[in-house]
Amino acid sequence: MTSDPRRLVPRTDVLLAEARVAAAVGRLGRDLVKAVVTGVQQQVRAGALAPDDAADAVLAALPGTASSLHRVLNATGVLVHTNLGRAPLSAAALEAVVATGGTTDVELDLATGRRGPRGEGAIDALLAAVPAAEAAIVVNNCAAALALVATCLGGELVVARGELVEIGDGFRIPDLLVSTGARLREVGTTNRVSAADYTDAVGPDTGAVLKVHPSNFVVRGFTRSVEVAELAPLLDVPLVADVGSGLLRPHPALPDEPDLQTTLADGADLVLCSGDKLLGGPQAGLVLGRADLVQRLRRHPLYRALRVDKTTLAALEATLRGPQPPVQRMLAATVQELRARAEAVVAALPGVDAVVADAGARVGGGGAPEFELPSVAVTLPASCAEELRQGQPPVVGYTAEGRTWLDLRSLDPADDDTLVTAVRACTS
Ligand SMILES: *Cc1c(COP(=O)(O)O)cnc(C)c1O
């Protein structure tokens, strides 16, 4: 009665022709589906799967999209997590990405049929959000903005020693600046710099004075730094401030985090920031400030190598003009709201060792390094961390005090039900 399972292995063309599998080929492409089919055939051949179940197994093993990147639930309590793609886009930004992902009028004036200025809508939205700026351009990320500024305005860049920082993953701002051919003129010491240190260093070769927000560390004790407002009136060269996190205006919850509007109003000639940190938008580097300097950057040949695509421009504009993006909502959530969500999650998990606990969330992405936002988490047995991370969808929390912590501040409330389902799957 036993038969050779190899002879019963469903043929590739038969499996690919099955209606549901054929639909997946239309969505994911033939190669991707075929690779899954091959894997399932091997399981049948090994006797691990009944031939009749092959089609179902193919469907179950197919990825959700043609990309190997997954949607992940961020329960780390780090609002802008670089390893998790930083700021989640708002629904408005995602819609704009989908709408412009095909062909779009990014450089065409539909009224005249002539070439139009690229990304004008995003620029206008930036200028409306930051009235102290005369002009703006958008590049690939803040590192690109720094590279463009250093290439275009260097010669010599005057920078405080204490602001020659490493941002993360070995990315050192001084190395980037020097790689453009600019020369660094370091002033002050690790812990102290004065206005006179800057003015003494500025000379005929100085292209700009650069201030870098030391986003991810704090120097305490016998320290001194020079604020933009103090420095700007003393300089006759451009003062460029890299503020990093991209707050448009001062934020009441983040008193030490510099913002674009204030930094320009204090006298910076240019401000630089990321689009995907506290601004809550797509990966981008924003440069705002004096019109003549922005124009120089735009005309530089390197700009062409650093400019962003249509979907980034669309997402950025929608982030700025649309409803509050998720990062801003995460910052604004009250502890009461978070506790109510955590209690609802625990209530939906009867019989599971899940406990509501006070937690501390962080801005992340190099923002507000010492600052803990009061938060609320659901804690689970330590062994859940790995299973949740490998679940569908993956949930990333953190481990502390022998427990797995799922912080609710960094999670979209719309995903709470998905979180419950994921926890149920790994604790059942
Ligand atoms: C994060 C950060 C950067 C790097 O920004 P990217 O957009 O990741 O290139 C540069 N400068 C400062 C001060 C930062 O905080």
Side-chain angles (χ1 to χ4, degrees), residues 338-365:
L338 298 172
R339 190 177 312 283
R341 287 172 55 198
E343 281 165 359
V345 167
V346 168
L349 294 166
V352 175
D353 174 13
V355 180
V356 175
D358 290 331
R362 291 180 182 282
V363 169

Side-chain angles (χ1 to χ4, degrees), residues 82 86 139-146 163 165-168 171 173 176 211-216 241-246 257-258 272-277 282-286 364-367:
T82 300
R86 291 201 182 152
V139 290
N140 181 55
N141 56 14
C142 190
L146 279 164
E163 296 181 7
V165 302
E166 176 171 324
I167 298 294
F171 167 49
I173 287 185
L176 172 73
K211 282 196 58 67
V212 180
H213 179 56
S215 310
N216 51 7
D242 172 7
V243 302
S245 73
E257 205 56 30
L272 321 181
C273 71
S274 301
D276 54 357
K277 294 182 180 172
Q283 180 187 304
L286 313 179

Side-chain angles (χ1 to χ4, degrees), residues 145-159:
L146 279 164
L148 184 59
V149 163
T151 305
C152 197
L153 305 184
E156 194 174 75
L157 297 171
V158 175
V159 193

Side-chain angles (χ1 to χ4, degrees), residues 54 306 322:
L306 304 176

